[in-house]
């Protein structure tokens, strides 16, 4: 049944009501199935079965202690029969593939059989000259009406059938008519009150089931629409990044080539604006990817904190916002933690950028210290701080407390929202301690681990080398080729894979660079692998893509290809060129690093 059809049936049933405790045939089947599955999972059902068996065993022990042996010969078989009926129904009830209707019939039958046996026990003891009180039947009826959650019709039919059986046997074996009348009056009142309560309980249960089903449908539809919009945004990310990537490369090339002071100044401002736009687009797409269910997979490993913190500090010192700010790293001993290095670095970079742009601080620090079996990682500042009512607001999407004019220099207001999303994804508790005038401290708790093998340090950077570039977008191809040549590389730029194969032997490249989305049948990663096979060697390779999904990162890691995200930042490209042209092994990319 489709969601739309189910919603239509539920809304129709809701309008009609269900005072007769019956839905339409298809809804009744769904209701019975859901009710049965709930009872199967609920721990209270096991407690009910245990109580029912205990009820018979306790009374059986009581019979052995106070009843004559001849009476027990009659009573014990009946009690054992009731216990067998209860256990048999429960064994079927708990089967994973049990039929809901049949299981419900077995359960109701077991209840009715137990009730009949209780009535027979009362009069079996009377026949043997022992006066067993009728309270056992009274307790049984209360148990059925108030605890078992049987359907109203089942419990009402069973209750009045037991009442009738008690009446018939009472007229046959009970000589005290006044006592019998009193017992029948009391049992009748219990049945009447219990039946009313059972009706109200089931009516409320059915109303709640309809409302819950409609709520689940609305939630699923809302989630599906949200995921669809997020996927659409992720799908067009390549088209959004492609012209921005070419713009950034042209801006860098223009800045380096400009001889006139005014042209150089304008080109420098253009480069800054392109970088701002690239960071904003990257933040928006990163947040979109984090919100999209299952889009980000973690790669947990051992991480040395001190090199990461020092690298982030050195990177931040080049930020114009760091002018006049003292940046410190406090990590006295080599601490290793378990986390995803790319995602953890992204969190810390966002926290550091947030402090530089919004804290108005003179002193910002990255501090790591061991705390029992964990490491407490702190990004703090001595800035203006936050009031208590502001501390939750700063983690909201697109929220900037000190930027009412939406100054583009301060980003989109997604940095801390991404930090919170990543902290939840990685399972690292995040806490903010702040007060007005006393700065802010963002604290992350990470699991401590043993040191891993340390890689060899990178050699001195060298820029010269032969590069084969495969890019089908003309603007990006020409911009990247001009920039690489400006840096001293010998570059052959190819439009498609066939052209790349033709120049491969002639150029004998030292580095391969390819865009991921190509116009031919092969994607960029497949093209790089084919060119390596043609050369007969594992040439260093860079893959440039707007898609930095975990799946693509995994493919690049397995094929020893470094993934660079678009828009391509020249500084990242220079680092990658120097490492690979220097003979260093390639590494998988970190999301958001271009």
């Amino acid at each position: 049944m489709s969601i739309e059809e189910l919603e239509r049936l539920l809304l129709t049933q809701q309008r009609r009501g269900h005072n007769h405790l019956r839905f339409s045939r298809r809804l009744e089947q769904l209701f019975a199935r859901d009710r049965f599955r709930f009872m199967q999972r609920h721990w209270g059902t096991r407690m009910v079965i245990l109580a029912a068996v205990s009820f018979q065993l306790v009374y059986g022990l009581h019979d052995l202690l106070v009843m004559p042996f001849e009476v027990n010969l009659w009573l014990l078989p009946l009690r054992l029969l009731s216990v067998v009926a209860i256990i048999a129904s429960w064994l079927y009830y708990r089967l994973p593939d049990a039929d809901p209707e049949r299981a419900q019939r077995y359960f109701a039958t077991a209840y009715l059989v137990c009730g009949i046996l209780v009535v027979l026990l009362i009069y079996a003891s009377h026949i043997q000259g022992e006066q067993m009180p009728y309270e056992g039947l009274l307790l049984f009826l209360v148990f059925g009406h108030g605890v078992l959650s049987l359907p109203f019709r089942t419990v009402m039919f069973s209750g009045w059938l037991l009442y009738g059986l008690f009446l018939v046997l009472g007229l046959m074996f009970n000589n005290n008519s006044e006592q019998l009348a009193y017992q029948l009056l009391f049992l009748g009142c219990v049945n009447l009150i219990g039946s009313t309560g059972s009706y109200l309980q089931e009516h409320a249960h059915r109303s709640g089931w309809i409302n819950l089903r409609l709520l689940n449908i609305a939630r699923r539809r809302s989630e599906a629409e949200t995921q669809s919009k997020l996927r659409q945004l992720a799908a067009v990310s390549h088209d959004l990044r492609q012209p921005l990537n070419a713009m950034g490369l042209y801006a860098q090339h223009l800045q380096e080539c400009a001889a006139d002071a005014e042209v150089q100044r304008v080109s420098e401002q253009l480069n800054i604006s392109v970088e701002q736009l690239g960071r904003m687009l990257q933040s928006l797409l990163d947040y979109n990817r984090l919100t999209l269910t299952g889009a980000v997979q973690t790669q947990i490993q051992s991480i040395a904190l001190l090199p990461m913190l020092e690298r982030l500090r050195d990177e931040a010192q080049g930020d114009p916002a760091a002018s006049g700010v003292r940046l410190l790293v406090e990590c006295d001993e080599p601490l290793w933690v378990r986390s995803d290095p790319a995602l953890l670095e992204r969190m810390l970079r966002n926290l550091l950028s947030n402090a530089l742009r919004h804290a108005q601080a003179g002193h910002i620090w990255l501090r790591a210290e061991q705390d029992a079996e964990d490491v407490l990682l702190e990004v703090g500042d001595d800035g203006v701080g936050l009031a208590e009512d502001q501390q939750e607001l700063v983690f909201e999407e697109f929220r900037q407390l000190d930027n009412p004019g939406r100054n583009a220099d301060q980003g989109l207001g997604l940095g801390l929202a991404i930090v919170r999303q990543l902290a939840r994804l990685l399972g690292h508790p995040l806490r903010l301690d702040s007060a007005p005038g006393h700065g802010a401290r963002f604290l992350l708790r990470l699991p401590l681990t043993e040191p891993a093998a340390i890689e060899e340090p990178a050699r001195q950077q060298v820029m010269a080398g032969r590069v084969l570039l495969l890019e089908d977008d003309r603007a990006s191809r020409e911009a990247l080729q001009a920039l690489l040549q400006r840096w001293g590389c010998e570059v052959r730029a190819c439009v498609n894979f066939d052209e790349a194969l033709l120049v491969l032997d002639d150029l004998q490249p030292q580095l391969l660079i390819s865009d991921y989305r190509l116009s031919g049948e092969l994607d960029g990663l497949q093209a790089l692998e084919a060119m390596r096979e043609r050369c007969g060697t594992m040439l260093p390779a860079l893959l440039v893509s707007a898609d930095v999904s975990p799946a693509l990162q995994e493919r690049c890691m397995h094929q020893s290809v470094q993934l660079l995200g678009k828009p391509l930042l020249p500084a990242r490209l220079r680092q990658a060129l120097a490492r690979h042209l220097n003979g260093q092994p390639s590494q998988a990319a970190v999301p958001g690093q271009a």
Side-chain angles (χ1 to χ4, degrees):
M1 185 188 307
S2 66
I3 293 180
E4 290 75 15
E5 184 179 2
L6 176 58
E7 184 179 31
R8 180 181 58 79
L9 290 175
L10 289 168
L11 290 173
T12 302
Q13 188 68 62
Q14 192 178 54
R15 287 193 299 269
R16 290 177 179 174
H18 45 275
N19 290 333
H20 298 292
L21 301 184
R22 275 288 184 269
F23 293 149
S24 62
R25 184 179 60 84
R26 301 185 72 179
L27 285 185
E28 191 66 30
Q29 292 175 346
L30 285 176
F31 174 72
R33 186 197 64 186
D34 288 354
R35 184 175 188 169
F36 171 68
R37 297 305 180 200
F38 173 78
M39 296 293 289
Q40 270 191 321
R41 296 190 304 268
H42 200 275
W43 63 270
T45 307
R46 293 188 289 273
M47 296 299 294
V48 167
I49 297 299
L50 180 61
V53 173
S54 301
F55 177 85
Q56 294 295 339
L57 295 179
V58 168
Y59 268 86
L61 180 60
H62 173 269
D63 294 343
L64 288 173
L65 294 176
V66 302
M67 294 287 185
F69 178 74
E70 294 78 8
V71 176
N72 278 297
L73 290 178
W74 284 75
L75 300 184
L76 283 178
L78 294 176
R79 293 201 184 279
L80 291 176
L81 182 59
S82 66
V83 171
V84 169
I86 295 169
I87 294 176
S89 66
W90 169 243
L91 290 176
Y92 183 80
Y93 205 81
R94 65 192 297 270
L95 291 176
D97 56 346
D99 178 69
E101 293 185 6
R102 183 178 297 176
Q104 194 65 51
R105 287 198 300 269
Y106 286 171
F107 208 58
T109 302
Y111 170 71
L112 183 57
V113 168
C114 290
I116 293 173
L117 292 174
V118 170
V119 176
L120 294 178
L121 284 168
I122 294 172
Y123 284 101
S125 63
H126 283 196
I127 293 172
Q128 295 299 314
E130 296 291 334
Q131 295 299 314
M132 178 179 285
Y134 79 108
E135 282 82 351
L137 180 58
L138 174 63
L139 290 175
F140 188 82
L141 291 175
V142 171
F143 190 77
H145 286 298
V147 177
L148 289 183
S149 296
L150 287 170
F152 165 72
R153 288 178 173 80
T154 298
V155 73
M156 186 183 68
F157 171 79
S158 301
W160 288 108
L161 179 63
L162 296 176
Y163 179 85
L165 179 62
F166 186 84
L167 170 61
V168 171
L169 294 179
L171 293 175
M172 293 174 59
F173 299 108
N174 193 341
N175 297 323
N176 190 339
S177 58
E178 185 176 337
Q179 182 189 48
L180 178 63
Y182 172 80
Q183 293 174 348
L184 290 172
L185 176 63
F186 204 81
L187 291 173
C189 290
V190 170
N191 258 340
L192 183 61
I193 296 172
S195 298
T196 303
S198 295
Y199 174 86
L200 295 175
Q201 183 183 39
E202 183 167 346
H203 191 278
H205 190 182
R206 287 174 177 266
S207 298
W209 180 81
I210 290 177
N211 293 333
L212 182 61
R213 275 283 189 168
L214 288 172
L215 182 62
N216 285 337
I217 289 173
R219 178 182 55 79
R220 289 168 59 186
R221 181 176 287 121
S222 175
E223 289 178 351
E225 290 175 355
T226 301
Q227 295 294 314
S228 175
K229 292 175 182 177
L230 293 173
R231 287 191 178 91
Q232 290 173 10
L233 182 57
V236 301
S237 65
H238 179 270
D239 299 330
L240 292 172
R241 294 178 199 247
Q242 194 79 335
L244 183 61
N245 180 60
M247 189 188 308
L249 296 174
Y250 276 125
Q252 179 69 24
H253 183 58
L254 178 62
Q255 182 180 349
E256 293 182 0
C257 293
D260 183 76
E262 181 63 18
V263 174
Q264 192 169 31
R265 185 187 67 81
V266 172
S267 61
E268 182 178 354
Q269 292 300 316
L270 175 62
N271 207 7
I272 293 173
S273 298
V274 170
E275 287 188 9
Q276 286 180 351
L277 181 58
R279 283 196 298 266
M280 293 167 66
L281 178 61
Q282 184 66 53
S283 295
L284 181 62
L285 295 176
D286 280 352
Y287 184 76
N288 168 74
R289 192 158 57 90
L290 284 168
T291 310
L292 191 62
T293 303
V296 177
Q297 302 295 325
T298 59
Q299 303 288 333
I300 304 298
Q301 55 187 272
S302 297
I303 307 169
L305 274 182
L306 184 57
M308 177 184 289
L309 299 182
E310 290 178 338
R311 181 171 66 253
L312 288 169
R313 178 200 58 195
D314 296 341
E315 177 185 307
Q317 285 175 340
D319 193 318
S323 177
V325 179
R326 186 183 179 198
L327 296 171
L328 291 180
V329 170
E330 301 177 16
C331 183
D332 296 333
E333 52 185 299
L335 294 175
W336 289 72
V337 296
R338 283 193 60 76
S339 185
D340 183 303
L343 300 183
L344 178 60
E345 185 170 331
R346 182 61 192 272
M347 292 172 66
L348 297 177
R349 182 178 289 112
N350 282 8
L351 290 172
L352 197 53
S353 176
N354 174 76
L356 288 172
R357 283 167 171 75
H358 304 290
Q360 303 177 32
H363 178 200
I364 297 175
W365 60 88
L366 295 165
R367 178 182 298 145
E369 58 183 20
Q370 185 173 347
D371 182 18
E373 298 299 320
D374 297 323
V375 170
L376 204 58
L377 187 54
E378 176 183 329
V379 180
D381 63 75
D382 61 355
V384 294
L386 295 166
E388 186 175 351
D389 59 347
Q390 295 178 318
Q391 293 181 21
E392 188 64 26
L393 297 179
V394 296
F395 291 103
E396 293 182 1
E397 300 87 347
F398 305 103
R399 172 77 72 167
Q400 292 180 319
L401 301 180
D402 58 348
N403 188 22
R406 306 298 298 179
N407 185 350
D409 290 341
Q410 300 187 37
L412 290 173
L414 287 173
L416 294 183
I418 291 174
V419 168
R420 171 172 280 185
Q421 290 270 30
L422 289 174
R424 289 173 177 170
L425 179 66
L426 294 170
H428 300 332
L430 173 65
R431 189 175 88 245
L432 168 58
D433 290 341
S434 183
H438 293 83
R441 296 163 61 238
F442 292 86
L443 298 116
L444 280 168
R445 185 172 292 275
L446 292 80
L448 185 68
T449 190
E450 296 296 325
I454 302 176
E455 298 179 357
E456 295 181 3
R459 302 175 188 171
Q460 184 179 1
Q461 295 185 352
V462 177
M463 293 303 299
R466 297 182 301 277
V467 178
L468 191 152
L469 171 62
L470 178 56
E471 170 64 82
D472 57 358
D473 181 75
R474 183 183 62 82
S476 295
R477 182 177 63 252
E478 293 177 356
L480 184 54
Q481 181 180 16
L483 186 61
L484 293 175
Q485 289 173 341
R486 174 75 181 174
W487 288 346
C489 297
E490 179 185 349
V491 184
R492 294 288 293 273
C494 304
V495 179
N496 53 52
F497 176 67
D498 293 334
E499 183 181 347
L501 289 181
L502 291 176
V503 302
L504 193 63
D505 295 334
D506 179 54
L507 180 63
Q508 295 184 350
Q510 296 171 281
L511 176 67
L512 304 174
I513 302 177
S514 175
D515 186 50
Y516 178 57
R517 295 184 184 274
L518 301 174
S519 56
E521 296 182 356
L522 301 179
D523 62 36
L525 201 54
Q526 294 170 332
L528 290 173
E529 189 65 21
M531 287 188 283
R532 282 172 166 176
E533 292 180 2
R534 178 71 172 265
C535 294
T537 182
M538 283 290 290
L539 288 172
L542 304 178
L543 184 70
V544 182
S545 174
D547 175 17
V548 288
S549 65
L552 183 58
Q553 293 179 51
E554 190 74 17
R555 288 181 60 194
C556 290
M557 184 181 298
H558 289 160
Q559 297 186 27
S560 298
V561 173
Q562 183 173 359
L563 176 61
L564 298 177
K566 290 182 179 180
L568 193 58
L569 297 181
R572 300 289 185 194
L573 179 60
R574 287 184 73 100
Q575 292 175 2
L577 286 174
R579 180 166 60 249
H580 292 297
L581 290 177
N582 212 6
Q584 298 298 314
S586 64
Q587 300 174 352
V590 280
Q593 285 190 358

